[in-house]
Amino acid sequence: MVHSGSRRDPWIKTSLIESANLSKAAGCRIFLKLENLQPSGSFKIRGIGNLLRYHLDSHATPHLIHFYCSSGGNAGLACVTAALALNRPATVVVPLSTKGDMVAKLMTSGAAQVIQIGNNWHEADTYLRETLLANDEAGVYVPPFDHPEIWNGNSSLIDEVGEQLKEQGEDGADVVVCSVGGGGLLSGILQGLDRCDWGKRCKVLALETKGADSLNQSLLHEELVTLPSITSIATTLGATRVAQTAFDLARKFQVKSAVLSDAEAAMGCWRLADDERIIVEPACGINAAVCYGGRLKKLLPDLSPESKVVIVVCGGSSLGLSTLAEYRAKYEWVEQETIPDPEVPSTLSAPNGSSGHSHTDGYPDQSS
């Protein structure tokens, strides 16, 4: 359950909308949970915000706490945004390779300090732990996904979905679709479903991109697998090893795991932009991608036109219009067999094979 206390939630209740365009494309009822509208730009603020509240309520001197995070991505933005809402400072340490626009976003979002040091995340995190935290008695380390209070906070998403579907006269969802990096969101979703009535019949489809598929590899080998590196463009799914709890819960609740290509994740980004005017990064675009080209029905053949599928539009702040255009130019071949449909706007703007290339990896190449 979400941590209860006197402090307000740093996150907001996001909208749940039924998408006519994606429903037509997928052949079932598609509901979009718009986590991209969170104050930090992603779902991350639910879990990390809950963790920060937990520390403030349990610390002997909460007014002295200074939060520290070594994520220059969505977790770092969530930490900074939540800390600001809770009136506490947050410092983010990132490697030298972090792009300038992300450093600027962190500072604009309210970071007390952004320190660039080290050639990679490990070196930046080591500096944070051994130099900053070691010299700050009131310092609190904020992990990106692997903590029970983070999972508890993320579970609030399912509470909201249940309430919102009920308001629309619906008795829960049949499927929840989410992407998986370290497993914090997946763990929260599964915990939330486990405590609600409709959750017992709801399936979970967990998606990853090839090259960032630590959960899928772990499920295939029936043990935790550490990837040698992250080779996918979906860098915010880039946990080389999924959390133990996420792995255990995925096995317990028989989560459907599937791996899509970078091209499909990119396609999901531009088609979501065309169909719903929503811009997300590939780690989220992969969730939209399954709605197109019969992918969802291939993965879950029992779906009917009346099946209710909730897509978690998890958000993300690493993609802009220029990068989206680059992805479309690079990966347009993934849509070469798209059939124009006047009821699905993005099919009318699809390249339809104009690049003249032939590829065969349009559908998930691994599943379990």
Side-chain angles (χ1 to χ4, degrees):
M1 297 291 289
V2 173
H3 177 73
S4 60
S6 59
R7 294 174 175 83
R8 70 181 183 88
D9 297 340
W11 63 91
I12 64 172
K13 181 177 181 179
T14 59
S15 298
L16 179 74
I17 63 171
E18 186 169 4
S19 168
N21 292 332
L22 271 67
S23 296
K24 174 66 177 178
C28 57
R29 299 177 66 188
I30 298 294
F31 294 80
L32 303 177
K33 182 60 173 165
L34 301 180
E35 290 297 284
N36 58 309
L37 300 181
Q38 288 290 355
S40 68
S42 80
F43 78 93
K44 287 280 188 181
I45 198 170
R46 289 183 184 270
I48 288 178
N50 192 59
L51 175 63
L52 267 54
R53 289 198 314 166
Y54 165 79
H55 282 299
L56 289 170
D57 287 341
S58 58
H59 201 279
T61 54
H63 62 288
L64 297 178
I65 281 183
H66 190 124
F67 294 107
Y68 293 89
C69 183
S70 58
S71 167
N74 296 318
L77 283 170
C79 178
V80 167
T81 305
L84 183 65
L86 295 168
N87 298 312
R88 296 310 311 145
T91 290
V92 182
V93 181
V94 297
L96 295 169
S97 59
T98 304
K99 294 180 179 180
D101 60 343
M102 181 54 73
V103 174
K105 283 182 182 179
L106 290 165
M107 290 301 299
T108 303
S109 297
Q113 191 176 13
V114 179
I115 299 173
Q116 287 189 271
I117 192 170
N119 295 317
N120 51 49
W121 174 84
H122 179 72
E123 291 182 6
D125 188 66
T126 298
Y127 174 82
L128 185 157
R129 291 174 181 269
E130 296 182 358
T131 301
L132 299 181
L133 278 176
N135 292 286
D136 187 347
E137 293 183 357
V140 173
Y141 181 72
V142 180
F145 57 83
D146 199 1
H147 192 284
E149 292 299 334
I150 291 180
W151 312 327
N152 290 339
N154 289 337
S155 73
S156 65
L157 184 149
I158 293 298
D159 297 333
E160 287 182 12
V161 166
E163 294 170 1
Q164 291 166 318
L165 286 173
K166 187 175 182 179
E167 290 169 358
Q168 298 178 41
E170 306 291 347
D171 180 23
D174 300 303
V175 179
V176 173
V177 179
C178 71
S179 52
V180 179
L185 176 59
L186 176 64
S187 297
I189 286 174
L190 292 173
Q191 288 183 355
L193 289 173
D194 190 43
R195 65 170 180 256
C196 67
D197 293 337
W198 58 273
K200 306 299 184 293
R201 57 176 170 78
C202 182
K203 297 179 181 178
V204 175
L205 175 59
L207 300 174
E208 298 168 286
T209 48
K210 182 70 174 177
D213 50 342
S214 58
L215 174 65
N216 186 268
Q217 289 296 315
S218 297
L219 292 174
L220 287 173
H221 291 86
E222 299 185 345
E223 63 180 0
L224 281 176
V225 170
T226 301
L227 302 178
S229 63
I230 300 299
T231 59
S232 170
I233 63 171
T235 54
T236 51
L237 297 184
T240 56
R241 187 182 179 95
V242 74
Q244 180 73 55
T245 294
F247 173 65
D248 292 340
L249 290 175
R251 297 183 72 187
K252 176 182 177 181
F253 293 106
Q254 298 182 319
V255 166
K256 175 70 175 180
S257 168
V259 179
L260 276 67
S261 66
D262 278 351
E264 290 173 295
M267 175 271 290
C269 293
W270 74 65
R271 293 198 67 170
L272 189 62
D274 285 350
D275 282 334
E276 295 294 340
R277 302 299 184 261
I278 296 172
I279 296 179
V280 297
E281 61 189 35
C284 180
I286 190 175
N287 296 335
V290 294
C291 295
Y292 301 106
R295 292 172 175 83
L296 191 56
K297 286 290 185 68
K298 282 180 175 288
L299 291 168
L300 299 172
D302 293 336
L303 290 178
S304 72
E306 298 305 314
S307 296
K308 292 165 289 186
V309 178
V310 173
I311 304 285
V312 180
V313 184
C314 47
S317 304
S318 69
L319 185 138
L321 290 176
S322 60
T323 304
L324 184 62
E326 291 172 7
Y327 283 161
R328 190 161 198 164
K330 180 178 181 179
Y331 296 116
E332 64 176 7
W333 52 262
V334 78
E335 289 194 312
Q336 61 183 355
E337 296 182 358
T338 297
I339 300 173
D341 184 339
E343 295 188 43
V344 183
S346 63
T347 64
L348 304 180
S349 56
N352 295 314
S354 59
S355 64
H357 298 299
S358 177
H359 296 263
T360 59
D361 56 350
Y363 287 105
D365 52 11
Q366 299 179 58
S367 63
S368 64

